[in-house]
Amino acid sequence: MSLNTFGHVFRVTTWGESHGPALGAVVDGCPPGVPLAEADIQPWLDRRKPGQSRFTTQRREEDKVAILSGVYEGVTTGTPIALEIQNTDQRSKDYSEIAAKFRPGHADITYHWKYGLRDPRGGGRSSARETAARVAAGGVARAVLARMVPGLTITGYMVQLGPHKADRSQFDMGQVDQNPFWVPDAASVALWEAYLDGLRKQGNSCGAVIEVVAKGVPPGLGAPIYGKLDADLAAAMMGINAVKGVEIGAGMDAAALTGIENADEIGMGAGGPEFRSNHAGGILGGISTGQDVIVRFAVKPTSSILTPRATLTVTGQATEIVTKGRHDPCVGIRAVPVGEAMMACVLLDHLLLDRAQTGGVRGRIGG
Amino acid sequence: MSLNTFGHVFRVTTWGESHGPALGAVVDGCPPGVPLAEADIQPWLDRRKPGQSRFTTQRREEDKVAILSGVYEGVTTGTPIALEIQNTDQRSKDYSEIAAKFRPGHADITYHWKYGLRDPRGGGRSSARETAARVAAGGVARAVLARMVPGLTITGYMVQLGPHKADRSQFDMGQVDQNPFWVPDAASVALWEAYLDGLRKQGNSCGAVIEVVAKGVPPGLGAPIYGKLDADLAAAMMGINAVKGVEIGAGMDAAALTGIENADEIGMGAGGPEFRSNHAGGILGGISTGQDVIVRFAVKPTSSILTPRATLTVTGQATEIVTKGRHDPCVGIRAVPVGEAMMACVLLDHLLLDRAQTGGVRGRIGG
Amino acid sequence: MSLNTFGHVFRVTTWGESHGPALGAVVDGCPPGVPLAEADIQPWLDRRKPGQSRFTTQRREEDKVAILSGVYEGVTTGTPIALEIQNTDQRSKDYSEIAAKFRPGHADITYHWKYGLRDPRGGGRSSARETAARVAAGGVARAVLARMVPGLTITGYMVQLGPHKADRSQFDMGQVDQNPFWVPDAASVALWEAYLDGLRKQGNSCGAVIEVVAKGVPPGLGAPIYGKLDADLAAAMMGINAVKGVEIGAGMDAAALTGIENADEIGMGAGGPEFRSNHAGGILGGISTGQDVIVRFAVKPTSSILTPRATLTVTGQATEIVTKGRHDPCVGIRAVPVGEAMMACVLLDHLLLDRAQTGGVRGRIGG
Amino acid sequence: MSLNTFGHVFRVTTWGESHGPALGAVVDGCPPGVPLAEADIQPWLDRRKPGQSRFTTQRREEDKVAILSGVYEGVTTGTPIALEIQNTDQRSKDYSEIAAKFRPGHADITYHWKYGLRDPRGGGRSSARETAARVAAGGVARAVLARMVPGLTITGYMVQLGPHKADRSQFDMGQVDQNPFWVPDAASVALWEAYLDGLRKQGNSCGAVIEVVAKGVPPGLGAPIYGKLDADLAAAMMGINAVKGVEIGAGMDAAALTGIENADEIGMGAGGPEFRSNHAGGILGGISTGQDVIVRFAVKPTSSILTPRATLTVTGQATEIVTKGRHDPCVGIRAVPVGEAMMACVLLDHLLLDRAQTGGVRGRIGG
């Protein structure tokens, strides 16, 4: 991870501001010979697109991705893939207030300190709009994974909205696409709608917890000690806007387990070794076990709220600010496809990195 | 982060196995002209050293660090600093059982799958002994930070042992060094002792939560989008052995806050802008705010326990394993200085990286 | 240097094919607060632009650069700068012959082997058109250098065309922009014109040697052992299309010198230490001396020639090929601004990297 | 290449000074399962070892390498391999003169400027002694290459000593190990001996040109645009102490060729495509062709000579210096095994990097 690039050998570099002419990603190190078209990427962007329910920002962006390089006759060539998304709805509003004051919870003040200046229009580079570029890159990663590891699936969903946790005993993954929250517990939907509507009316917002699960991940991905799969996933998820916590498997609750409980015992199943539980979240010693890779992350409440908050002007005067405009009452909702995209990129990167070192050959157990 | 190296410009590469002849770190990119001797590093290693109470492994390692390069006449030269620690207590025990079976919760099976072979002696590279190299590197980072940012302090402590959370209302940092748990709440000590003694007698173990706080961090460290300070801290902490969750500031609990609660309002204090709360944990938009940088991480229970657990042999036979030997009943205890070391390395790296891009000049507010 | 990115902290990632819709560069790590507009970059692209004399390809490309991010109100913000150049003259010609046969001296066969497919239109990614992206990035580097090191200048020129070396005793840098060869020896122009016209009429081509000199480079840039300034310059120049040799200072001729001759003796001048010669080309031990940094590189003859050459078809049949189309008879001519751009990027990268490690403070001599 | 590390996925980090207690390398990313012992590495170090003829320094170093990690039961484990060489002959001489004055042609003055201090004992980090660590790392790379690409050979030899070029028409590779110069032209030996003896008696020194050839390199290694095989080789060779020029294939002479001459025509041979010449030096578009990979580099004359040269003291006084001590009259001689080692490391790195991206699958021609 180095400034605006991440990945070891499948490397993604993103650029663009919320209200600049466009934003994009350059995807480098992509294997050649993979069928790829805009139509393979666009559906993931459409999932993330704003304005799909009353619970996401009403900004209207087409978010149409264009592939500008690295694909010839519908197939990746192994050269860098430039992905570009035009910004079409940079509403010509008045940014003078945001330019003059620091919005609490936003990067306004830290950008000001670090760079001495900032692009105040929609948060500039720190806007969650940047995540569109990640989702586009994730679409490329998914297309490659689909070919290299056919059974692999990546699914993100919400497990908590504000203080309300979904009921895991009721999880039905078929529900995830059936509600505006991507929650697999249908019973939560009405409660969450009511809660979020209430917050919106108050000019308030809330946070969320998202879980992303990858099934079918081959064992052996990752590497000690700093190129660990879990370390890279942690960085990838913590790097998403507004994320404040990342968990693998049992996560923070692992602290409260005993060693007897936490041991994921191993038996021999029909297809090879089988673990009897997965507190490890599919990763031991930084390397995948072949079980589900399970990551969770917490997204803080949207900082742009209609309730006045104390702050300073750029000239150091005490003032208040109300952040008007079109904002998600819970940015966590739209973080679901972003988390999936980051998972896809990290897994592909480690698949390629493992292939570099080991050739993808696996040690045998029995047989 | 790339395999066994981390850092952008202050880069640490570690090597060594639990029972090899030695282990070490190469610290590259260190500023020149910083006074440095083994005596500056040794105290941090001594804090991490095993065998200091009945709650840590009884393995006896001197953990004496030697500086083999990069220092001349007591001062860093700007060339790589090689740090080396001899392994002196590689007890010549019988590893045949560990070699033949996979210990649940350990990296045995993932190393086997990935590499086709593994060094079973004490867990080889995946042993927590590797963290001695990090602590040594952290000692270098601390020496540099002490010179470049005189007021900066880094303090780690435990906030939870198994299910028992320390009482934050009773925190007294003066207590941290007064008990074997590095817990700032003196009232927790007796309870934790009893709990951990009970587990030990059962042949069991437990997890923990460690908090590391850096005070006096200048604003402006970090960078969007993937070189974020919080993303790098997340990777650094998640990369420590047995860590399953990482939080910044409010962490996973941020999900349950509302936007009104979560907004860290800003006022003008005597010395400049002041935040009225720190849910952000000192980081906004991936860049430090000048507030305390607060990281927490959960360590899973020690996987080496005296209670039999089901597993497989290398030849695929179902069996059980009891992990004898000298093990910490709670590895989280000794993770405290490791977390501090990682914090030191990441902060120094970002301090230098910021200096590269901005020259360390800060935007002004008022004045 | 990693696939399509180069630089340590000032990092340039390029993308695009000769006949794709566009090509571009993402410049990351740029210092904030630097005035930058397309008008600062365009002149360098104009120097490289084809079709300016009969000695360069007649392909007509406007090569208009657009800045899509990283600049706000005319000043760099410290976030990634996306530069984009539309391809406007992708003449809809018939590429079936190039697609079916491998052109000797081109990357056709190696791309085919490596990737299993290639974009044959104009050479795809391996086209010298990619160098426009480098020149654009170099324009950004120059704008930053102009601010950070006001006296620094970078000048490229040709010192050899085919077998004809320019006469160094006649060098007048004022001549460089006065002839189509960027040669500082006016007397060479007529000879070179005649030579190159002759080759063109034969359906032949020739190589060249370019020298790039940076004056005013501060001492202390670079680093042992692999981040050496000369090592990075060597990679930068060797990575330019068709380059087969790179020299620093005395270069290959250093082999024939004796130690007595080669010692650049040092005396004390009015402004500080002065070297009495510069066989070192401004770099000792991988670190700049403050003298002129002098790099030379040889460009092989244009491989696209009108004389038939033996080759294979993709199906392995022996055949011949004549490369029609619009080609430079000496690609070396247009490599001059490319070499300058690479010098600018490498110097700025090392300036920032040095600032990271040392803060830019210099050891004193005397005084 | 980043400070003291090189390589993309097979990464080598070196440390150590000429007169420190030891020097070493950490080799990361090495494939697992490769038989490796000190005995596989030592022969390469023995080739480089000083004191083997009157033409190399009389410093006596055993240069015994120890493997401290990453190998278990004689086989690489995939974890970092720490290689260490003790310095045994740090003669306790008086370094006060070198500490007080800058030796022309050495890095003394640039280290002083950059770091504000330097380790003057034997040149500290800038000593050619560092190359022992590269040679050790190269021994690891060779062991891996021997397994992954059985037919691959790497051979270095001298082609020029001072002004005297060996006669290529007389090259017999069987001669390379039969003379102190590693020159394949037996007729040159007597002449070179006489020339070098003459220089030694004068208190003078000379430069050299070394050629390193890799045979049996698979096609397809390397990558556009900045991860080119030739760019990485150029950096690797230019990064060796005292190197001032690097050439691939025809090298600087490519400038004087015409396109007709330079085209390496392609025909179909018994085993597949065959090139009729190799001006390209085995690399087209940054990617290997399967032909011999040919690199040459020029080493400047030894800067430590017995003839007084003008210089400054650290306090800025004009003075002279004679560099006494044990020095190679032509450091180029001992650069031969160093060049081989760098070739081995770069080729293995690209072999692994190619495997990451393409899986090592090659496009087919015919058949």
Side-chain angles (χ1 to χ4, degrees), chain C residues 1 8 112 130 226 364, chain D residues 1 8 112 130 226 310 364:
Chain C
M1 299 256 166
H8 303 268
H112 177 85
E130 184 273 341
Y226 307 112
R364 305 186 66 179
Chain D
M1 298 257 168
H8 303 267
H112 176 86
E130 184 272 342
Y226 308 112
R364 304 186 68 180

Side-chain angles (χ1 to χ4, degrees), chain D residues 341-361:
Chain D
M342 296 307 279
M343 173 73 90
C345 291
V346 171
L347 288 179
L348 177 57
D349 187 34
H350 275 281
L351 190 72
L352 301 183
L353 196 58
D354 174 71
R355 188 159 74 168
Q357 190 180 13
T358 73
V361 177

Side-chain angles (χ1 to χ4, degrees), chain D residues 269-280:
Chain D
E274 279 180 3
F275 293 86
R276 295 182 185 163
S277 55
N278 188 12
H279 294 96

Side-chain angles (χ1 to χ4, degrees), chain B residues 211-298:
Chain B
E211 187 165 283
V212 182
V213 174
K215 291 179 181 294
V217 176
L221 307 192
I225 295 291
Y226 307 112
K228 287 183 171 181
L229 181 57
D230 39 4
D232 280 355
L233 285 169
M237 301 306 172
M238 192 67 90
I240 299 173
N241 307 48
V243 171
K244 301 307 287 184
V246 180
E247 302 184 312
I248 307 287
M252 298 304 293
D253 290 345
L257 296 173
T258 67
I260 292 174
E261 294 161 342
N262 186 63
D264 296 323
E265 293 183 298
I266 317 173
M268 185 55 83
E274 279 180 3
F275 293 87
R276 296 182 184 163
S277 53
N278 188 11
H279 294 97
I283 303 174
L284 284 174
I287 299 171
S288 62
T289 62
Q291 294 177 278
D292 292 355
V293 173
I294 302 171
V295 180
R296 268 183 312 286
F297 56 93

Side-chain angles (χ1 to χ4, degrees), chain A residues 21 106 150 154 163 167 316 328:
Chain A
H106 278 285
I154 295 169
D167 179 354
D328 295 87

Side-chain angles (χ1 to χ4, degrees), chain C:
Chain C
M1 299 256 166
S2 116
L3 299 186
N4 294 276
T5 298
F6 70 94
H8 303 268
V9 291
F10 180 81
R11 293 170 66 80
V12 177
T13 301
T14 72
W15 56 271
E17 278 83 37
S18 177
H19 286 61
L23 56 89
V26 181
V27 177
D28 200 8
C30 184
V34 178
L36 185 74
E38 278 93 348
D40 297 305
I41 302 171
Q42 195 62 49
W44 308 112
L45 280 163
D46 292 346
R47 291 190 73 196
R48 180 202 157 279
K49 200 165 65 174
Q52 302 193 98
S53 81
R54 69 180 182 280
F55 303 117
T56 58
T57 172
Q58 297 309 300
R59 177 171 172 164
R60 298 276 166 206
E61 285 289 356
E62 280 300 307
D63 281 357
K64 284 292 170 207
V65 68
I67 297 174
L68 298 185
S69 67
V71 174
Y72 178 64
E73 297 187 339
V75 174
T76 60
T77 60
T79 60
I81 301 168
L83 304 169
E84 195 165 302
I85 298 165
Q86 303 296 317
N87 284 328
T88 53
D89 185 20
Q90 316 106 290
R91 200 178 279 194
S92 60
K93 60 178 277 197
D94 179 5
Y95 286 101
S96 57
E97 190 184 14
I98 297 181
K101 299 177 180 178
F102 302 114
R103 295 167 299 163
H106 277 286
D108 299 350
I109 196 167
T110 52
Y111 272 57
H112 177 85
W113 264 320
K114 184 179 188 80
Y115 300 116
L117 80 163
R118 68 193 154 96
D119 175 350
R121 301 166 304 161
R125 180 74 179 145
S126 69
S127 165
R129 231 186 120 50
E130 184 273 341
T131 60
R134 304 181 188 220
V135 171
V140 176
R142 286 196 194 243
V144 180
L145 286 169
R147 229 175 137 81
M148 289 182 66
V149 192
L152 191 151
T153 62
I154 295 169
T155 311
Y157 43 88
M158 280 178 68
V159 296
Q160 183 179 337
L161 180 87
H164 302 292
K165 295 191 184 188
D167 180 356
R168 285 185 181 267
S169 70
Q170 303 300 314
F171 274 15
D172 168 5
M173 290 299 151
Q175 293 296 316
V176 170
D177 288 327
Q178 306 302 315
N179 63 74
F181 302 112
W182 285 306
V183 59
D185 162 25
S188 288
V189 177
L191 173 65
W192 290 14
E193 284 184 338
Y195 176 72
L196 203 52
D197 278 331
L199 286 173
R200 269 205 305 151
K201 283 168 196 160
Q202 288 169 39
N204 207 345
S205 64
C206 73
V209 178
I210 287 91
E211 187 165 283
V212 181
V213 175
K215 291 179 181 294
V217 176
L221 308 192
I225 295 291
Y226 307 112
K228 288 182 171 182
L229 181 57
D230 39 5
D232 280 356
L233 285 170
M237 301 306 172
M238 192 67 91
I240 299 173
N241 307 49
V243 171
K244 302 305 289 184
V246 180
E247 302 185 312
I248 307 287
M252 297 304 293
D253 290 346
L257 296 174
T258 66
I260 293 174
E261 294 161 341
N262 186 63
D264 296 322
E265 292 182 299
I266 317 173
M268 184 55 83
E274 279 180 3
F275 293 87
R276 296 183 184 162
S277 55
N278 188 12
H279 295 97
I283 303 174
L284 284 174
I287 299 171
S288 62
T289 62
Q291 294 176 278
D292 292 355
V293 173
I294 303 172
V295 180
R296 269 183 312 287
F297 55 94
V299 180
K300 71 180 184 183
T302 309
S303 296
S304 297
I305 52 177
L306 288 167
T307 302
R309 297 282 83 193
T311 191
L312 297 179
T313 65
V314 174
T315 58
Q317 306 303 310
T319 184
E320 287 196 333
I321 192 164
V322 169
T323 312
K324 292 169 206 137
R326 302 158 296 171
H327 300 289
D328 295 86
C330 175
V331 284
I333 299 174
R334 287 172 56 217
V336 171
V338 182
E340 292 176 339
M342 295 308 279
M343 174 72 91
C345 291
V346 170
L347 289 178
L348 176 57
D349 187 34
H350 275 281
L351 191 72
L352 301 183
L353 195 59
D354 174 71
R355 188 159 75 168
Q357 189 179 14
T358 72
V361 177
R362 289 291 82 109
R364 305 186 66 179
I365 296 175

Side-chain angles (χ1 to χ4, degrees), chain D residues 315-332:
Chain D
T315 57
Q317 305 305 308
T319 184
E320 285 196 334
I321 192 163
V322 169
T323 311
K324 292 169 208 138
R326 301 158 296 171
H327 300 290
D328 295 87
C330 174
V331 283

Side-chain angles (χ1 to χ4, degrees), chain A residues 1 3 8 110 112-114 130 134 205 220 222 225-228 239 244 246 248 259 265 280 310 315 354 363-364 366, chain B residues 1 3 8 112-114 130 134 205 220 222 225-228 239 244 246 248 259 265 280 284 310 315 354 363-364 366:
Chain A
M1 298 255 166
L3 300 186
H8 302 267
T110 52
H112 177 85
W113 264 320
K114 184 180 189 78
E130 185 273 343
R134 304 180 189 222
S205 63
I225 297 290
Y226 308 111
K228 287 183 171 181
K244 301 306 287 184
V246 180
I248 307 287
E265 292 182 298
T315 57
D354 174 72
R364 305 185 67 179
Chain B
M1 299 256 166
L3 299 186
H8 302 269
H112 177 85
W113 264 321
K114 183 179 190 77
E130 185 273 342
R134 304 180 187 221
S205 64
I225 295 291
Y226 307 112
K228 287 183 171 181
K244 301 307 287 184
V246 180
I248 307 287
E265 293 183 298
L284 284 174
T315 57
D354 174 70
R364 304 187 66 178

